[in-house]
Each structure stands twice: as structure tokens, then as C-alpha cells.
Amino acid sequence: MELQANVTALAYLVAAVLFILALRGLSSPETSRAGNTMGMVGMAIAVATTILSPEIESYTWILVAVVIGGAVGLLIASRIAMTAMPQLVAGFHSLVGLAAVLVAGAAYSHPASFGLLDSAGEIFIASRVEMALGAMIGAITFSGSIIAFTKLQGLVSGRPVTFAGQHWLNALLGIAALGLVGYFCVDQSPWVFWLLVALAFVLGFLLIIPIGGADMPVVVSMLNSYSGWAAAGIGFTLHNNALIVTGALVGSSGAILSYIMCKAMNRSFFSVILGGFGGDSTAAASGGEVDDRPVKQGSADDAAFIMKNAGSVIIVPGYGMAVAQAQHALREMVDELKKAGVKVSYAIHPVAGRMPGHMNVLLAEANVSYDEVFELEDINSEFSQADVAFVIGANDVTNPAAKTDPASPIFGMPILDVERAKTVLFVKRGMSAGYAGVQNELFFNDNTMMLFGDAKKMVESILRAID
Amino acid sequence: MHGDFISQLSIFVLAVFVGYYVVWSVTPALHTPLMAVTNAISSVIVVGALIAAGPDGMSLAKVLGFVAVMLASVNIFGGFAVTQRMLAMYKKKK
């Protein structure tokens, strides 16, 4: 028995190390695929170790659950469009959160099978705290992710939902939930546990509804972090080191991504979480003043002519490119430009898209080589030598007001210096303001040419004009 | 058994630091796959679900465990598969 416990603990340790290596592999695209395989092996080891342990007496239910769940998972993974990755990840987070609640609930209702009872037949105090916290964070992750999913999927408006006293209500609910965690240590009645879970569900829902659509990169990262902390909480309850280590890894990963996203927007984490900023571009635009200064407007033929005769072009993609599904047409356009001897590279702002790294995946899907795609700090100095900056579906991240106008809401946000290029070609549907509700000064510059139209159709017309 | 809380906490704190350094070394181009794969590995919570669903006979814990195994399986298979699909697309110029 002693020997078996040691072997089991060692197997979980191996699984935890493999998970660390899986993340480590992501330091470069070449090693990433091997890393993912290590993650799968780690998971297989963890699951096999548990299944072979003496606690598992019957396999039928487990097999049925794995087959159904696995089939659904594989089906979703093979069908999902790359543009829909943010909502997929949000949806997956909700499942981890709910699973954490269910496991905590199972441990609570049957503590004996998890070895959580003391000699008096009560649940250990430490285990109560751990399972209560695990269930609480899991429930917040679940309902918060569901809201994030419905906003990203467009099932509800991305506009922030705010009402008077919102923050007070959230604070009250949060304090009440923590109070219940404390009370659970004295009284282990079912109503305490389940009321805590119910409160946490409501709290997760209320926390995410005030956050606008374009702040979703932060929200998705934050929920990623929560799902990790929930898993770690359950790991403490179950005395399972693989779960504790994995929860800690995932928790810190999500926290770092949230930090990177906030920094790229020059906003504090709390101002994002408290919400109420911006929303759908249409909603934001209606509040902005109408600007009737003249802009220079161009056609697809003009754009084709300018780019074909340029020495170098830098492409700046944004969420609008994803919405219009223009990435494939864009890559074909770039191929033609390269044939004409033009040097082309891509510049990605950290918050382009609806989740961290979203644009990179879309470009990779369109067969763009990853060594042509650069992050902001690596390419920003090159705009001054570029002949053309081709902005497609991005807006606020190119607004020079962030550098020059202290009154602007986006002042201080790091932006791509596209205005330094000789010519800026700006693909846009109309003159509406960006997500932040601010007019982009770039539109009125002498070296800017606006290309009005749907991103995909515009790129296709340019492609035809280049041929 | 609960006496080893301090050793669990030590493991947890050290793992947070490991996570901190490993995640900062991830290239920003792979942040989306990072989120997908962290999601897949956090589903190792399935080990708790398996223990809940394991015993003979019927109980509330078993039903909860069954559902949890199913949800975690969606995540494990879906998460790793979608990560693999994404990573396969990252190519260098031939």
C-alpha cells in the first residue's frame, strides 16, 4: 500500500513536469509541437494513474463519460473557425470552472471516498476551506466565461451593461461569499456550501457584464487565470500535486497575459475589471462628434499602383480583418506584391483581435510565414523607412493622438507608428470612430489615403488591380 | 494526512514561480495556443472527477463525478486537438 502510494505520487510528479515542458515548448514555433505532445502524454499518465488506483471500482460510467466528452471535444476542435478561437477558449474555461464546482460538490457530499474525514466523522477544517474556495472560484469562472462567450459569439451585445450601485453590489456579494467560506468551517451544513456556490455563480455573471467587447482580451486571460486557481484549490482538497502544480502554472499564465494586455492598452487591471468602458464601435461612434474635415480617398487601383511601386510595405492587421475573413485574400495580395519585388512584413499590436495572439493565428492559418510577422517593439522603428503602411481592420492602435494629445482617452497607450511611413493606406468601412470612441487623427494626414469598403472585397479588388 | 498542508503550499508557491518564468519565455506569437493548452492541462482536474465517479453503487457524488468527467474530457480532447491544429499552421518560408 505504501509502495503504491509512492508510485502514484511519482507518476503525478512526472505528469506535472511534462505540463511544465509543454508550456516551455511554446517559446518558439519549432519546439511547440513537441511541447504539445508532452502535454498529452502528461495528461495520459495522470488519467491512467488515477484509473488504476484502488478507489476506482467501476469503469462503465467513466468510459461512457470519456467517450461522449472526448467525441464532442474532438468534433468542436476540428470544426471551429480560427476567427472564433476567443469564444472557444472562453467556452472551454467555463467547462473547467463547472468541473471544479462539481468535483468540489462531490468531495463535499462524499468526503469519505476522498479521505477527507477526521476521527469524529467531520470534514477536516483545512479541506473545508480548500473545497469552498475551489468551488467558489470555479463557479465564478463558469458563469463569467459563459457571459464572455455570449459576448464574443455575438449572442448578446458587446456593450457594457452598467447600473447604479453595481460595484457596491459586487463588493457586497464578494464579502458575503468569503464570509460563507469562513462560516463553512464552523457549520458544514449543505445550505452553506450550496448557497456559496449560488452566490459565486451570480458574482461571476455580474463581474463580466459591465466589461465591453474590446476589453475581452483581458477578460479571457483573467478567466484563464481563474480556471487555474480553481484547479489548484481542488488540488489542495484532493492532496494531488499534479493538480496543484498545473493550477499554479495556469493561474500565473493567465495573470501574466492579463498584465500584458492591460499594459498594451495603458489601462490598469482594475479599470478594466470595473468595466463600463467603450463597447461596440457603433455604440461608441454615436457618442463622438461628427468630424467633417476632408480626407483623401483612394480606389483599389490607386492602392495597387502605390504598393506595386513601393520598396517596402508593412501590413497592420486588426480585428476588422478577422470579422471580414480577409486574411486569405490578404496573403494572396502579399504574394503578388512579393512577385513584383516588394518587401512585405506584418506588424501586430498586442491587443489586436479579441484574445492575445489572435492575429498571429489567423495569419498562420492563411499560410503567412511566422518570420514575416513582428511584434510592436520589434518593428515600430521600421515604419519611418517603409514606403507604405497598409492598415486593415485596425484603428485605435494606430492613432497618433495616443502620443501627442494628453486629453485623449487613449493617451499613453503604445501604438504602431504607421504615420511615419511615406504613405498610409487605411482600409475601413466608413468614417466611424474606433472602439475607444476617439477620432483617429491619422485619417486627416496628408500622407494618408482612405480605402473605403469591406476589408475582404477591398483586398480582392487590389489583388485584381495588381495582376 | 492534512498535516502536509505546508508541503503542498510549498509546492504551490514554487510552481507559481516556475509558471511565471516559463510563461514570460513564451513568444507573443503563440499566446493563443498558450491559452488553449493551459486550458487543456487545467482539465487535469479530471483526476478528482474520476475518483468521484469511481465507486460502485449510486450516489450524488457519482452523478456529479460523471458529469465532471464528461466536461473535463471535452476540454482535454478539444483543448489538445485545437492546440495541435493551430501549431501545425505556424510555418516558416519554404
Side-chain angles (χ1 to χ4, degrees):
Chain A
M1 200 61 199
E2 188 64 22
L3 177 71
Q4 208 216 327
N6 285 338
V7 172
T8 305
L10 280 176
Y12 284 136
L13 176 64
V14 172
V17 170
L18 285 168
F19 290 154
I20 294 173
L21 292 174
L23 300 193
R24 176 70 194 144
L26 291 169
S27 57
S28 97
E30 286 104 67
T31 54
S32 63
R33 287 174 276 264
N36 196 42
T37 310
M38 282 192 247
M40 289 190 244
V41 174
M43 185 61 74
I45 291 176
V47 170
T49 308
T50 312
I51 289 194
L52 294 176
S53 71
E55 284 100 335
I56 311 287
E57 297 158 348
S58 99
Y59 298 94
T60 333
W61 282 45
I62 290 175
L63 197 68
V64 171
V66 171
V67 168
I68 297 177
V72 171
L74 288 176
L75 191 72
I76 296 174
S78 60
R79 292 270 176 88
I80 191 84
M82 287 298 145
T83 42
M85 205 47 73
Q87 48 267 49
L88 176 77
V89 168
F92 277 175
H93 287 156
S94 75
L95 299 182
V96 178
L98 190 55
V101 174
L102 295 174
V103 173
Y108 170 69
S109 73
H110 244 243
S113 36
F114 292 87
L116 302 179
L117 290 181
D118 60 17
S119 46
E122 300 241 297
I123 304 174
F124 292 122
I125 302 286
S127 304
R128 290 190 209 177
V129 177
E130 292 155 3
M131 70 172 68
L133 285 177
M136 179 179 133
I137 305 173
I140 293 176
T141 311
F142 171 70
S143 54
S145 301
I146 293 285
I147 300 301
F149 173 84
T150 54
K151 286 195 176 195
L152 288 163
Q153 181 72 24
L155 298 177
V156 299
S157 154
R159 230 171 306 155
V161 179
T162 51
F163 52 87
Q166 188 163 31
H167 301 325
W168 289 110
L169 179 64
N170 289 349
L172 201 72
L173 283 174
I175 293 167
L178 288 175
L180 278 175
V181 174
Y183 186 65
F184 189 55
C185 297
V186 225
D187 179 359
Q188 55 167 340
S189 321
W191 72 266
V192 185
F193 183 82
W194 295 111
L195 179 64
L196 171 64
V197 170
L199 268 188
F201 277 136
V202 176
L203 190 57
F205 172 80
L206 289 175
L207 275 177
I208 306 302
I209 52 165
I211 305 181
D215 275 343
M216 282 299 149
V218 182
V219 171
V220 175
S221 314
M222 185 185 82
L223 292 167
N224 184 232
S225 181
Y226 283 6
S227 69
W229 305 130
I234 302 298
F236 276 100
T237 317
L238 305 181
H239 304 278
N240 184 312
N241 287 340
L243 200 39
I244 295 177
V245 171
T246 312
L249 290 177
V250 177
S252 49
S253 167
I256 290 173
L257 292 176
S258 315
Y259 169 79
I260 295 175
M261 293 301 112
C262 286
K263 209 165 151 247
M265 292 193 284
N266 190 39
R267 299 186 51 208
S268 79
F269 185 68
F270 285 103
S271 82
V272 174
I273 297 311
L274 294 178
F277 181 86
D280 288 340
S281 54
T282 45
S286 59
E289 66 209 78
V290 182
D291 206 321
D292 45 13
R293 283 178 287 170
V295 296
K296 214 192 286 175
Q297 192 178 337
S299 67
D301 292 328
D302 300 331
F305 179 80
I306 293 171
M307 285 200 281
K308 217 159 65 174
N309 294 297
S312 63
V313 173
I314 299 178
I315 298 188
V316 180
Y319 185 60
M321 179 193 80
V323 174
Q325 297 274 11
Q327 63 270 31
H328 298 278
L330 182 68
R331 204 257 310 143
E332 285 174 42
M333 183 190 92
V334 169
D335 285 348
E336 286 304 316
L337 289 175
K338 282 194 202 150
K339 267 187 224 156
V342 183
K343 181 177 171 288
V344 186
S345 39
Y346 298 80
I348 312 256
H349 191 278
V351 290
R354 284 290 187 266
M355 75 186 290
H358 194 188
M359 287 301 127
N360 302 78
V361 172
L362 294 179
L363 292 177
E365 186 199 14
N367 275 326
V368 172
S369 163
Y370 62 80
D371 50 5
E372 292 170 10
V373 183
F374 298 92
E375 303 301 317
L376 178 132
E377 60 268 34
D378 298 326
I379 199 164
N380 229 2
S381 58
E382 285 174 35
F383 279 106
S384 50
Q385 288 112 51
D387 293 314
V388 177
F390 185 79
V391 184
I392 173 165
N395 189 355
D396 289 338
V397 298
T398 64
N399 192 341
K403 289 183 286 191
T404 54
D405 180 8
S408 171
I410 59 168
F411 182 70
M413 169 170 143
I415 64 152
L416 289 160
D417 297 330
V418 293
E419 81 281 2
R420 301 221 172 120
K422 266 193 213 99
T423 308
V424 179
L425 297 174
F426 210 110
V427 182
K428 206 168 180 313
R429 254 185 298 188
M431 277 303 284
S432 64
Y435 158 69
V438 224
Q439 190 56 270
N440 194 340
E441 287 305 311
L442 193 61
F443 300 164
F444 310 103
N445 283 0
D446 285 338
N447 64 338
T448 303
M449 182 188 274
M450 302 299 292
L451 305 169
F452 289 116
D454 171 77
K456 189 176 176 191
K457 289 202 185 100
M458 178 54 72
V459 170
E460 282 167 350
S461 319
I462 296 174
L463 180 61
R464 278 192 298 273
I466 293 174
D467 285 345
Chain B
M1 192 168 188
H2 66 301
D4 51 21
F5 175 73
I6 295 299
S7 71
Q8 287 187 5
L9 188 67
S10 316
I11 291 172
F12 175 73
V13 172
L14 293 177
V16 169
F17 277 91
V18 171
Y20 180 85
Y21 288 106
V22 169
V23 170
W24 273 115
S25 77
V26 171
T27 167
L30 293 176
H31 276 163
T32 296
L34 171 69
M35 297 194 89
V37 84
T38 50
N39 187 259
I41 65 173
S42 61
S43 309
V44 73
I45 200 158
V46 74
V47 298
L50 289 170
I51 295 173
D56 277 324
M58 237 353 242
S59 65
L60 172 65
K62 186 154 175 147
V63 177
L64 296 179
F66 172 77
V67 179
V69 171
M70 197 154 65
L71 297 179
S73 302
V74 173
N75 251 333
I76 293 172
F77 286 87
F80 281 119
V82 87
T83 310
Q84 180 129 336
R85 211 181 122 202
M86 280 191 273
L87 293 176
M89 298 185 312
Y90 282 81
K91 289 187 212 90
K92 234 179 176 158
K93 240 175 312 199
K94 306 113 225 162

